Amino acid sequence: KAPKDVECSTFHSFCLKVLKQANPRIKVDNKGEKLKKIVTSLIGDADENTHDVLRQAISLAKAYLAHTREAIEAMMAEHEIESHRLDFVELVIQALDICAVQCQVVDFDDMIWFISKFNMDMPVYAFVMIDEAQDSNPGRIDVLRRLLSPDTRMVAVGDENQAIFQFCGSCVDSMERIAEMMNAARFPLTVSYR
């Protein structure tokens, strides 16, 4: 158990706390209903695969902080998301806009995305530690950046060989991005006791 003056949380729970401090009436959508309704409003009774692919693309766009046609197309290419709909990227953009308007309800992806989308103020800490840093995505890295001051000391622990969340937007170079952001010294662990 952490001491009382040490705050421990996941990125999502921390961001949800920040969102609730800004708006205590926020509701959490634990079942993905918000996004399902938005996708249905955009594409109606299209086949279930199209619904799934569009929801995946929207989720990734939030993780990547992608909001332009070019960024969404690059993200889709990287994740080999294909759609036969010519307006697919436009549908992702429209869905992101609707998600932002419906900000009284947050889903799992919104918890981190809203921090960047709405340029929210975050508390700044003297010391920050992040575990499993190899699975960070642009949204998480942006939240991390917001927690730091020029005097903040940070420890980011991760193993690039254990990155497993690329399917949901983690960057293959997240450790490098974090190191560059902090102008960090690296201390590789050369012995494992696993």
Side-chain angles (χ1 to χ4, degrees), residues 27-39:
K27 304 276 190 252
V28 177
D29 172 15
N30 292 319
K31 298 180 181 178
E33 294 300 319
K34 174 183 176 180
L35 194 54
K36 286 178 185 174
K37 288 177 183 175
I38 290 169
V39 168

Side-chain angles (χ1 to χ4, degrees), residues 24-193:
R25 294 185 308 245
I26 281 181
K27 304 276 190 252
V28 177
D29 172 15
N30 292 319
K31 298 180 181 178
E33 294 300 319
K34 174 183 176 180
L35 194 54
K36 286 178 185 174
K37 288 177 183 175
I38 290 169
V39 168
T40 299
S41 75
L42 292 172
I43 61 174
D45 60 355
D47 64 278
E48 190 59 33
N49 182 58
T50 303
H51 279 255
D52 291 344
V53 171
L54 184 54
R55 284 194 303 268
Q56 177 193 15
I58 296 163
S59 178
L60 284 169
K62 290 176 182 179
Y64 273 75
L65 305 180
H67 60 276
T68 64
R69 173 171 289 284
E70 296 77 20
I72 293 168
E73 286 173 349
M75 173 208 72
M76 288 175 58
E78 181 176 338
H79 287 273
E80 299 177 352
I81 297 173
E82 295 182 20
S83 175
H84 300 291
R85 292 185 66 125
L86 296 175
D87 62 344
F88 194 80
V89 173
E90 185 57 37
L91 290 170
V92 173
I93 293 169
Q94 289 175 20
L96 292 172
D97 289 344
I98 295 168
C99 283
V101 169
Q102 295 180 4
C103 61
Q104 295 291 12
V105 176
V106 296
D107 64 20
F108 190 70
D109 298 320
D110 291 339
M111 291 176 191
I112 292 176
W113 180 61
F114 278 177
I115 299 297
S116 297
K117 174 69 178 169
F118 297 120
N119 195 26
M120 297 187 70
D121 290 331
M122 302 281 285
V124 174
Y125 293 91
F127 184 83
V128 173
M129 180 174 177
I130 175 175
D131 192 16
E132 303 293 349
Q134 77 277 359
D135 286 321
S136 296
N137 60 38
R140 290 179 183 187
I141 292 171
D142 183 64
V143 167
L144 181 61
R145 178 189 58 78
R146 292 166 185 270
L147 299 174
L148 309 175
S149 76
D151 298 324
T152 299
R153 301 202 35 111
M154 184 179 76
V155 173
V157 179
D159 180 350
E160 292 164 336
N161 295 318
Q162 293 186 28
I164 59 171
F165 287 112
Q166 292 167 344
F167 69 92
C168 63
S170 70
C171 308
V172 294
D173 64 344
S174 61
M175 296 288 290
E176 185 62 37
R177 289 182 186 202
I178 292 169
E180 285 178 15
M181 177 177 70
M182 290 299 297
N183 192 23
R186 292 176 177 246
F187 299 98
L189 298 175
T190 56
V191 176
S192 172
Y193 293 97

Side-chain angles (χ1 to χ4, degrees), residues 4-15:
K4 290 181 182 180
D5 61 336
V6 174
E7 190 171 347
C8 297
S9 65
T10 65
F11 273 102
H12 286 88
S13 65
F14 182 81
C15 290

